[in-house]
Amino acid sequence: LKQRLVWSLRETVSDPEDFAEMLCSQMSLPESFKAKIALEIRAQVGAYPRYAPRPKQIGLQGPDHAEMLVPIDIDLVVGGVAVQDRLLWDLSNPDNDPGATARVLCADLALSEGAEAQIEHTITLAVAKARKAL
């Protein structure tokens, strides 16, 4: 197998093992290729030790372990009530929880549990999009 790809040195959402699994699945390659592909990615990217891929993390941390704040916009209509809000989400904090944030927001605004699920979903999607954009 000879394949060229560009690996983002800043990738923190996925790791070489995940990529190898996806590639093998898409190309119907034997299971034994997974470890070899992941090892090859790690070896080549390892030439840049500062950026060498690490195992996936629940939270992300910048080079200096600084906050990685991204704006999350909430713009929903729930039960005829318009819910609009903007919050800053720290991608580097593994303790941040979309469900807990949605519960607090709904409690503060006296919204229904149905709103809680929609807000949690909105936050989860926005966080995933922000991580992917890194």
Side-chain angles (χ1 to χ4, degrees):
L1 173 68
K2 189 168 187 170
Q3 182 80 21
R4 285 189 188 260
L5 63 103
V6 177
W7 186 267
S8 172
L9 295 177
R10 299 170 72 191
E11 178 65 54
T12 55
V13 176
S14 181
D15 61 18
E17 287 74 17
D18 288 339
F19 177 81
E21 184 174 343
M22 179 202 61
L23 181 67
C24 288
S25 174
Q26 288 178 349
M27 297 183 75
S28 301
L29 298 172
E31 293 283 318
S32 61
F33 278 39
K34 287 180 190 177
K36 293 174 186 174
I37 291 168
L39 184 62
E40 188 63 31
I41 292 169
R42 286 188 182 279
Q44 290 184 33
V45 175
Y48 304 91
R50 178 176 178 188
Y51 301 104
R54 296 175 300 279
K56 276 189 299 189
Q57 302 170 358
I58 293 175
L60 304 175
Q61 294 183 339
D64 299 318
H65 304 289
E67 292 180 324
M68 295 177 67
L69 301 176
V70 295
I72 304 288
D73 291 315
I74 300 170
D75 189 7
L76 303 168
V77 176
V78 182
V81 175
V83 179
Q84 293 181 328
D85 200 358
R86 173 175 262 199
L87 48 104
L88 288 177
W89 193 268
D90 183 2
L91 294 176
S92 68
N93 185 346
D95 296 327
N96 280 346
D97 176 19
T101 302
R103 278 189 294 283
V104 169
L105 182 61
C106 287
D108 288 349
L109 300 176
L111 298 171
S112 68
E113 287 182 20
E116 185 178 313
Q118 287 182 291
I119 292 170
E120 178 179 0
H121 181 71
T122 299
I123 294 170
T124 300
L125 289 177
V127 168
K129 184 178 177 181
R131 285 183 172 155
K132 188 173 183 175
L134 290 177

